[in-house]
Amino acid sequence: MIDTPTSPITSGLPLFFVITVTAIKQGYEDWLRHNSDNEVNGAPVYVVRSGGLVKTRSKNIRVGDIVRVAKDEIFPADLVLLSSDRLDGSCHVTTASLDGETNLKTHVAVPETAVLQTVANLDTLIAVIECQQPEADLYRFMGRMKITQQMEEIVRPLGPESLLLRGARLKNTKEIFGVAVYTGMETKMALNYKSKSQKRSAVEKSMNTFLIIYLIILISEAIISTILKYTWQAEEKWDEPWYNQKTEHQRNSSKILKFISDFLAFLVLYNFIIPISLYVTVEMQKFLGSFFIGWDLDLYHEESDQKAQVNTSDLNEELGQVEYVFTDKTGTLTENEMQFRECSINGIKYQEINGRLVSEGPTPDSSEGNLSYLSSLSHLNNLSHLATSSSFRTSPENETELIKEHDLFFKAVSLCHTVQISSVQTDGIGDGPWQTNLAPSQLEYYASSPDEKALVEAAARFGIVFIGNSGETMEVKTLGKLERYKLLHILEFDSDRRRMSVIVQAPSGEKLLFVKGAESSVLPECIGGEIEKTRIHVDEFALKGLRTLCMAYREFTPKEYEEIDRRLFEARTALQQREEKLADVFQFIEKDLVLVGATAVEDKLQDKVRETIEALRMAGIKVWVLTGDKHETAVSVSLSCGHFHRTMNILELINQTSDSECAEKLRQLARRITEDHVIQHGLVVDGTSLSLALREHEKLFMEVCKNCSAVMCCRMAPLQKAKVIRLIKISPEKPITLAVGDGANDVSMIQEAHVGIGIMGKEGRQAARNSDYAIARFKFLSKLLFVHGHFYYIRIATLVQYFFYKNVCFITPQFLYQFYCLFSQQTLYDSVYLTLYNICFTSLPILIYSLLEQHIDPHVLQNKPTLYRDISKNRQLSMKTFLYWTILGFSHAFIFFFGSYFLIGKDTSLLGNGQMFGNWTFGTLVFTVMLITVTVKMALETHFWTWINHLVTWGSILFYFVFSLFYGGILWPFLSSQNMYFVFIQLLSSGSAWFAIILMVVTCLFLDIVKKVFDRQFHPTNIEKAQLTETNSSIKCLDSMCCFSEGETACASVGRMLERVIGRCSPSHVSRSWSASDPFYTNDRSILTLSTMDSSTC
């Protein structure tokens, strides 16, 4: 049995405290999740049973139950739509809670069930649904419904348009009935719940390294003490002195077991050198510190009423270590608010000016351009319907033919889309002549893509207005004349085809296919129209930074349409390889097209994007833009946002078709970089070339990229974005990466990067939900990194180093004391002090420091991005800094111990009655000096003082004195032994002890002050220089020690020295003064400042 030098309570209580605090935090979060789950699972729902509606809870829904959902209610399971209050069986839903898209989506029931609008009718339904196994993809669903009617079995295909997802909300529909196909954890929403990959910051990795070093120190001290004990006991007089005779059992016990027992006893005695409470303090600092980001008013976007969100507080300090930023373009650098700007119709380019479409060049019939027609179509109220296919294929020879070409173009724009209109808003729109100027006020379009909405609105401005869907009919009003087109099929957009199509039947009976998509996917399928002219126009649009789409059409003969209809039905009802079969049919349909024109919409840059990217570059951060846009558009936007400079040498790795060609091109680029005497290079890579480069030439590709100050990757698939980030992450330098995006296609790269930032934009909230942090605008990234990231890193770096320092100060005297007690494992400190040292006496000052410290003004940090370089590469937690703090702790511990030893050693009496100090008084003296020293050391590290800092710093010292007086001044009945009775009072009654305490504290800290003076005088860092110069711009001089007037005063030299020592500012002496020309924010409303705002200057 081991004779432990300290009680189990002394060793176990700090560990119990750490575990308890962590458990409370985790338990609280679990409790919140439990309440949230109960709220969802217990929601009331109505199901059809035995010919009536029965109220139950959502958790009781089973597969096959028919559920009724009313307007504005949330679907409790994944339902196949059976019927709605509309005759066509359609309904509108919004999936904002699933993918963030706020537009209304239309879902339709099969015709056989759409007529079953009552509970009684539904109770007679006999049908079987066959569908695929549950999967997480929100946009994929394959199944079929076998309906038995009058002894006949009817088979209908089921797709995503028939599935109502759990979590979506019913809109603009009174009620619907649906049958549950996936419930509980098999619903698509539940399958999308996935635990994020655990991200660990560089600080955590450094902490673990330091902990291993201290574990080695602990084991080394225990081994040394054990060996020296047996070396000392080799002399018989010390092995068994007359006052401590061994028992017979002790004499006969195993030497090996005794050695192990003593080694373990020393481990217990010295185990406090391992800062167990460090982890709980770091957890609290991260959790509480994360609230400051959400409270920062400079990160609040007033227009959208969105504040910054913290989804993962474990990475706060990583914001201060970023070396690479990977950003999406659309919606992240740009507003994702599309505005129609230009178009190309039949080889003629037009632009919209003040609501009028104006030709940029002469038409075939007029050298001056047909401006009278294009300015307004309102005089053509008698415009004839679409001409036949043969007239479309004929080049226009007069104004009427030209009008037909434009009419066809805008008809294609108005019909080829998935835009929805609220049924309430369209009441009365379809009757009577339509007025052009009423479109914006009376029609509000909802679209999943901002491009579609902008194009449909543009067509409405030019006289062809999409009125809405009525069953299978699409209604278009052309200059007041209502036309109805029967919607036969929709060929949905997908990322492989990069186009979408609709097949409609015109009022005159023709079956027409309208196609809209990227020029790379539409132009190769065209056999007619002004292909080359349109291609040139598309490239010109792209150079202006505009987003382009091409429009084409095809007319089917009755025989062609019959075959198309049959093949589509077969593909859509297939349960095996449905996607592949649909892709083949789509390719069969979308060919032999006639090109009618192209559109160009503008996506405006977000506010202050250029300034933010420039600031990131000044901070030493490399910015990469990863986008799915075409090459010309992406380069144009990169130039306009400052990612590429006009003076930058732009290198291109595009259109590579083979590994050898790609490798040769990479070698050429590498040679150009070394040979060109250009300061900065930019690299443009497309998706296909990137795939080749990453396949076998990673090192060569990385070498080229690292020598470029800006890289732009275009035509990127979502997984390619993640691969690029992973390539940088695993490079030998292992840089810290940050990814910024706003859409679902950015989720993969956000989760791959060390830090993921989601933009709460118009492409939904999926990126924001899967990110570590979410902000409303790209410009907020500068403050998030340069201010919050800088502060968080400095705070937690100091916290970690300080914890190890104060534990070295704490335990080293315990180790030294063993040399004076024959390594008998006698403890130097009372067990209560051992327990409370980390829990009470020294915990609050460092915690408050780690939450509130501002070693430099936030405004200075933001206006001087170069200061960010000073904390990169985890410099504050380098091995050199760690060794400095550790050696400082050992040196202070030696001063504590030997200073106290020389004071009361040699039988010296320090009391007036001649009584001598004992063992516990000596230990209490060492503990008192140590506690004051480590607390004042924390005060020296503090630059930003608030009343909270004063309270916890000086209050901790005061609490120790008050506690010790009570603890040692009363005989506590529940304590078995009270070694400290009257010890502390006796110590404080000695004037010599007071003098020794002050002398030792000053001696310890004097060494630290001298080092700070030397470093600031001869080797100041950029941050220390900024601390001295910031007073000229933002700190009011009120005889503060952080700034001094031009005139010399009696204490000016002392003030200057103190300033160089600690670079400190007091909030009562600080006032921010901003100028209107500040590049980022005109004021600092951050709650981080905790100080009064004042517009006056020094």
Side-chain angles (χ1 to χ4, degrees):
M1 186 175 182
I2 300 174
D3 184 18
T4 174
T6 59
S7 70
I9 295 177
T10 302
S11 300
L13 192 60
L15 181 61
F16 174 77
F17 173 76
V18 169
I19 295 174
T20 302
V21 171
T22 306
I24 290 172
K25 175 179 175 288
Q26 297 293 338
Y28 173 70
E29 293 176 353
D30 286 344
W31 179 73
L32 291 179
R33 283 191 288 268
H34 177 72
N35 286 348
S36 177
D37 289 344
N38 276 348
E39 185 178 346
V40 174
N41 295 333
V45 295
Y46 290 90
V47 298
V48 178
R49 286 178 185 163
S50 303
L53 283 176
V54 178
K55 186 176 181 179
T56 183
R57 295 182 179 275
S58 61
K59 64 182 179 181
N60 297 326
I61 296 176
R62 299 291 179 262
V63 172
D65 283 346
I66 297 178
V67 183
R68 191 202 76 170
V69 180
K71 181 180 178 181
D72 291 328
E73 289 184 355
I74 295 174
F75 301 117
D78 289 350
L79 311 174
V80 168
L81 179 61
L82 295 178
S83 65
S84 70
D85 62 322
R86 301 179 183 183
L87 293 177
D88 59 359
S90 67
C91 70
H92 296 297
V93 303
T94 176
T95 57
S97 61
L98 297 175
D99 56 15
E101 295 180 2
T102 56
N103 60 294
L104 295 179
K105 295 183 174 68
T106 302
H107 292 257
V108 291
V110 298
E112 286 74 19
T113 63
V115 297
L116 306 176
Q117 296 181 311
T118 64
V119 174
N121 290 337
L122 285 167
D123 199 43
T124 63
L125 175 64
I126 302 174
V128 176
I129 294 178
E130 298 176 353
C131 57
Q132 64 186 146
Q133 291 295 313
E135 67 169 359
D137 193 334
L138 296 175
Y139 309 106
R140 286 187 59 195
F141 176 69
M142 291 186 293
R144 62 186 173 192
M145 183 185 295
K146 297 179 180 179
I147 307 163
T148 304
Q149 285 186 349
Q150 300 174 354
M151 304 301 293
E152 181 182 353
E153 189 177 84
I154 302 172
V155 180
R156 292 290 183 184
L158 299 176
E161 71 283 349
S162 303
L163 188 67
L164 306 172
L165 298 177
R166 175 187 173 189
R169 189 182 296 272
L170 184 65
K171 304 292 286 186
N172 289 348
T173 309
K174 185 179 179 181
E175 67 176 12
I176 64 98
F177 289 95
V179 59
V181 289
Y182 304 128
T183 61
M185 295 307 295
E186 292 183 346
T187 60
K188 291 184 179 292
M189 184 177 78
L191 292 173
N192 273 279
Y193 297 153
K194 66 174 184 177
S195 56
K196 298 177 183 176
S197 58
Q198 188 66 30
K199 295 182 179 181
R200 294 173 60 233
S201 68
V203 171
E204 286 185 59
K205 296 173 184 176
S206 298
M207 280 172 52
N208 293 338
T209 302
F210 299 158
L211 199 64
I212 291 173
I213 294 175
Y214 269 62
L215 187 62
I216 294 172
I217 294 175
L218 168 63
I219 294 173
S220 301
E221 288 183 346
I223 292 174
I224 291 172
S225 298
T226 307
I227 293 173
L228 289 178
K229 176 179 181 177
Y230 282 91
T231 302
W232 210 305
Q233 289 180 354
E235 297 184 41
E236 187 176 347
K237 66 175 182 176
W238 297 123
D239 181 39
E240 193 173 351
W242 61 269
Y243 56 84
N244 190 17
Q245 295 290 317
K246 291 182 179 179
T247 64
E248 193 65 29
H249 175 73
Q250 289 175 328
R251 291 192 184 98
N252 296 330
S253 61
S254 169
K255 298 288 186 182
I256 296 176
L257 291 178
K258 181 63 177 171
F259 184 91
I260 295 174
S261 174
D262 285 329
F263 171 74
L264 294 176
F266 280 117
L267 278 182
V268 172
L269 189 65
Y270 302 148
N271 80 88
F272 292 93
I273 197 173
I274 304 297
I276 299 174
S277 58
L278 169 63
Y279 285 90
V280 71
T281 307
V282 167
E283 283 288 323
M284 293 174 65
Q285 189 268 347
K286 290 182 175 182
F287 177 71
L288 297 175
S290 64
F291 287 103
F292 289 113
I293 293 178
W295 291 338
D296 191 345
L297 293 179
D298 281 335
L299 301 183
Y300 170 72
H301 190 244
E302 197 167 349
E303 294 175 17
S304 57
D305 190 27
Q306 292 170 336
K307 64 177 183 178
Q309 296 177 4
V310 179
N311 300 326
T312 306
S313 61
D314 293 339
L315 302 171
N316 291 342
E317 65 275 10
E318 207 80 331
L319 293 171
Q321 297 294 294
V322 175
E323 297 172 64
Y324 281 83
V325 167
F326 299 89
T327 174
D328 179 39
K329 182 184 73 66
T330 305
T332 304
L333 300 179
T334 60
E335 288 283 3
N336 204 14
E337 283 185 2
M338 308 302 175
Q339 294 181 345
F340 179 86
R341 291 299 183 207
E342 300 185 49
C343 65
S344 173
I345 305 174
N346 198 36
I348 303 173
K349 190 161 61 170
Y350 304 94
Q351 60 180 335
E352 184 180 6
I353 301 176
N354 297 326
R356 297 171 179 269
L357 202 60
V358 179
S359 169
E360 291 189 6
T363 65
D365 306 299
S366 170
S367 60
E368 297 179 359
N370 202 346
L371 296 182
S372 61
Y373 162 74
L374 295 169
S375 297
S376 173
L377 298 173
S378 59
H379 68 287
L380 297 172
N381 288 326
N382 59 349
L383 183 67
S384 60
H385 185 259
L386 281 172
T388 61
S389 177
S390 60
S391 66
F392 293 154
R393 298 173 191 271
T394 306
S395 299
E397 298 174 356
N398 51 50
E399 183 174 310
T400 303
E401 292 300 320
L402 184 62
I403 291 173
K404 290 177 181 178
E405 294 290 349
H406 291 80
D407 182 68
L408 175 63
F409 175 80
F410 285 111
K411 286 282 177 60
V413 170
S414 298
L415 293 172
C416 187
H417 57 73
T418 56
V419 173
Q420 300 294 329
I421 306 175
S422 175
S423 58
V424 177
Q425 293 170 317
T426 57
D427 290 345
I429 298 295
D431 303 323
W434 175 80
Q435 301 296 324
T436 306
N437 58 2
L438 296 180
S441 60
Q442 292 195 5
L443 292 174
E444 186 172 358
Y445 295 112
Y446 296 87
S448 56
S449 165
D451 300 72
E452 284 193 337
K453 182 180 178 183
L455 292 176
V456 173
E457 288 175 343
R461 289 196 298 272
F462 303 133
I464 299 180
V465 187
F466 171 64
I467 300 299
N469 290 336
S470 177
E472 295 182 352
T473 302
M474 298 184 76
E475 298 181 350
V476 175
K477 186 172 283 189
T478 305
L479 302 173
K481 181 182 177 182
L482 187 64
E483 299 171 356
R484 288 184 172 88
Y485 292 79
K486 186 177 181 181
L487 180 60
L488 301 175
H489 294 285
I490 297 178
L491 281 58
E492 297 83 4
F493 174 87
D494 64 64
S495 56
D496 294 328
R497 287 164 46 241
R498 296 180 64 83
R499 58 181 180 258
M500 74 154 293
S501 305
V502 294
I503 302 176
V504 297
Q505 181 176 333
S508 55
E510 298 99 337
K511 305 291 195 306
L512 299 172
L513 170 76
F514 289 111
V515 182
K516 175 179 67 179
E519 87 290 342
S520 59
S521 63
V522 174
L523 294 183
E525 305 296 335
C526 292
I527 60 171
E530 297 289 347
I531 298 175
E532 291 306 318
K533 289 184 179 179
T534 304
R535 192 192 306 273
I536 294 172
H537 291 164
V538 167
D539 291 339
E540 292 175 354
F541 296 153
L543 288 174
K544 298 178 182 179
L546 303 178
R547 294 165 63 91
T548 59
L549 290 171
C550 289
M551 311 296 302
Y553 83 99
R554 176 185 177 187
E555 183 179 2
F556 298 121
T557 64
K559 186 176 180 180
E560 287 176 334
Y561 178 74
E562 285 180 12
E563 183 182 1
I564 287 169
D565 190 52
R566 178 183 58 80
R567 294 183 63 169
L568 277 173
F569 179 79
E570 291 175 355
R572 283 177 168 156
T573 54
L575 284 181
Q576 302 294 329
Q577 298 181 328
R578 179 183 293 186
E579 291 184 347
E580 292 80 356
K581 292 178 180 178
L582 280 174
D584 293 339
V585 176
F586 289 173
Q587 185 62 39
F588 173 75
I589 296 171
E590 296 169 331
K591 65 179 182 179
D592 300 334
L593 305 175
V594 178
L595 184 67
V596 294
T599 63
V601 296
E602 179 186 25
D603 192 359
K604 294 192 302 182
L605 282 178
Q606 288 188 15
D607 188 31
K608 292 185 171 61
V609 166
R610 174 182 284 274
E611 293 91 333
T612 304
I613 290 178
E614 185 59 33
L616 292 173
R617 188 176 285 116
M618 291 174 63
I621 299 173
K622 291 189 175 182
V623 181
W624 288 33
V625 176
L626 312 180
T627 178
D629 266 355
K630 63 177 298 184
H631 164 238
E632 294 83 2
T633 305
V635 171
S636 177
V637 172
S638 288
L639 287 169
S640 62
C641 72
H643 179 236
F644 285 165
H645 289 297
R646 298 288 176 185
T647 56
M648 187 180 287
N649 184 17
I650 299 179
L651 311 174
E652 292 186 346
L653 181 65
I654 58 175
N655 301 325
Q656 303 301 304
T657 56
S658 65
D659 283 337
S660 57
E661 183 184 354
C662 183
E664 181 59 32
K665 183 66 175 179
L666 283 171
R667 294 188 194 97
Q668 290 178 11
L669 295 178
R671 284 195 297 269
R672 282 191 59 185
I673 291 173
T674 55
E675 294 171 1
D676 290 353
H677 300 288
V678 179
I679 299 176
Q680 290 184 329
H681 295 84
L683 178 65
V684 181
V685 190
D686 63 5
T688 54
S689 303
L690 182 69
S691 299
L692 294 172
L694 297 183
R695 189 181 302 170
E696 295 181 2
H697 314 293
E698 283 189 6
K699 291 184 178 179
L700 189 57
F701 177 68
M702 283 301 301
E703 181 185 345
V704 173
C705 290
K706 288 177 182 177
N707 290 321
C708 295
S709 57
V711 178
M712 196 273 296
C713 302
C714 57
R715 293 299 193 198
M716 295 280 286
L719 286 179
Q720 282 184 311
K721 295 182 179 182
K723 286 181 180 178
V724 169
I725 294 178
R726 179 156 185 79
L727 182 66
I728 298 296
K729 279 175 63 178
I730 63 176
S731 62
E733 296 81 7
K734 301 233 178 332
I736 304 299
T737 59
L738 180 145
V740 193
D742 72 317
N745 60 330
D746 301 318
V747 170
S748 56
M749 76 169 183
I750 285 174
Q751 292 182 334
E752 181 64 46
H754 292 95
V755 183
I757 307 289
I759 301 292
M760 295 177 282
K762 297 179 176 59
E763 288 190 19
R765 297 300 172 87
Q766 199 162 342
R769 282 199 306 272
N770 287 276
S771 64
D772 303 307
Y773 303 89
I775 53 179
R777 286 294 181 270
F778 183 80
K779 67 177 181 180
F780 295 154
L781 190 62
S782 61
K783 185 162 192 185
L784 193 63
L785 298 185
F786 302 153
V787 179
H788 290 282
H790 197 116
F791 282 157
Y792 283 135
Y793 177 72
I794 291 293
R795 291 166 182 169
I796 201 167
T798 306
L799 182 151
V800 171
Q801 303 282 27
Y802 177 77
F803 250 92
F804 285 108
Y805 155 79
K806 72 186 181 75
N807 278 36
V808 166
C809 291
F810 183 39
I811 288 303
T812 302
Q814 181 81 62
F815 173 69
L816 296 174
Y817 184 61
Q818 296 306 304
F819 286 86
Y820 294 88
C821 66
L822 292 182
F823 297 94
S824 61
Q825 297 149 11
Q826 168 65 36
T827 177
L828 177 63
Y829 311 120
D830 182 71
S831 60
V832 172
Y833 287 160
L834 283 170
T835 303
L836 298 183
Y837 176 73
N838 279 318
I839 296 178
C840 295
F841 296 147
T842 61
S843 59
L844 282 181
I846 182 60
L847 177 61
I848 297 302
Y849 169 93
S850 66
L851 292 174
L852 304 181
E853 171 64 359
Q854 294 182 40
H855 61 294
I856 191 170
D857 188 270
H859 189 63
V860 174
L861 283 177
Q862 198 159 346
N863 281 349
K864 293 184 177 180
T866 51
L867 296 177
Y868 192 81
R869 297 171 183 255
D870 281 16
I871 62 169
S872 62
K873 303 287 186 183
N874 203 15
R875 292 181 185 176
Q876 300 298 319
L877 285 175
S878 64
M879 191 56 65
K880 178 182 177 182
T881 310
F882 168 72
L883 290 177
Y884 165 73
W885 279 89
T886 301
I887 293 171
L888 187 68
F890 278 115
S891 62
H892 286 182
F894 273 79
I895 294 174
F896 304 153
F897 183 82
F898 289 107
S900 301
Y901 177 77
F902 289 131
L903 175 68
I904 63 175
K906 305 299 181 183
D907 300 334
T908 304
S909 174
L910 300 179
L911 297 175
N913 58 6
Q915 187 177 352
M916 296 174 60
F917 284 158
N919 170 64
W920 295 111
T921 311
F922 172 69
T924 304
L925 177 61
V926 173
F927 189 87
T928 303
V929 176
M930 173 188 60
L931 183 74
I932 297 174
T933 302
V934 298
T935 305
V936 177
K937 169 64 177 171
M938 187 73 263
L940 282 176
E941 294 298 319
T942 303
H943 297 82
F944 189 79
W945 283 91
T946 67
W947 64 269
I948 304 177
N949 295 85
H950 285 290
L951 176 66
V952 299
T953 301
W954 315 123
S956 294
I957 297 175
L958 181 62
F959 172 74
Y960 163 71
F961 277 88
V962 172
F963 173 83
S964 298
L965 288 173
F966 273 92
Y967 173 59
I970 300 175
L971 286 171
W972 301 98
F974 53 83
L975 294 177
S976 58
S977 64
Q978 193 162 344
N979 301 318
M980 294 297 294
Y981 179 67
F982 219 68
V983 168
F984 195 71
I985 299 173
Q986 188 182 53
L987 176 67
L988 297 186
S989 65
S990 170
S992 300
W994 279 103
F995 176 76
I997 290 172
I998 296 172
L999 181 63
M1000 283 186 281
V1001 170
V1002 171
T1003 302
C1004 289
L1005 299 178
F1006 179 75
L1007 299 174
D1008 198 35
I1009 292 174
V1010 169
K1011 180 183 181 301
K1012 283 180 176 290
V1013 170
F1014 180 83
D1015 286 345
R1016 285 179 178 267
Q1017 185 69 37
F1018 299 106
H1019 306 288
T1021 64
N1022 291 329
I1023 292 177
E1024 289 168 346
K1025 292 175 183 177
Q1027 287 173 340
L1028 294 175
T1029 57
E1030 71 176 273
T1031 58
N1032 297 328
S1033 60
S1034 60
I1035 306 297
K1036 189 194 308 187
C1037 296
L1038 294 176
D1039 296 328
S1040 166
M1041 70 172 86
C1042 41
C1043 55
F1044 29 100
S1045 59
E1046 295 180 3
E1048 289 293 324
T1049 61
C1051 60
S1053 58
V1054 177
R1056 189 180 300 110
M1057 183 192 75
L1058 287 174
E1059 162 55 24
R1060 287 174 178 168
V1061 171
I1062 54 181
R1064 165 179 305 140
C1065 303
S1066 172
S1068 61
H1069 295 161
V1070 175
S1071 64
R1072 313 291 192 243
S1073 60
W1074 320 130
S1075 66
S1077 60
D1078 289 339
F1080 295 101
Y1081 303 96
T1082 55
N1083 66 335
D1084 188 339
R1085 299 172 290 167
S1086 170
I1087 196 162
L1088 289 169
T1089 57
L1090 293 174
S1091 59
T1092 308
M1093 301 301 156
D1094 191 349
S1095 60
S1096 58
T1097 58
C1098 264

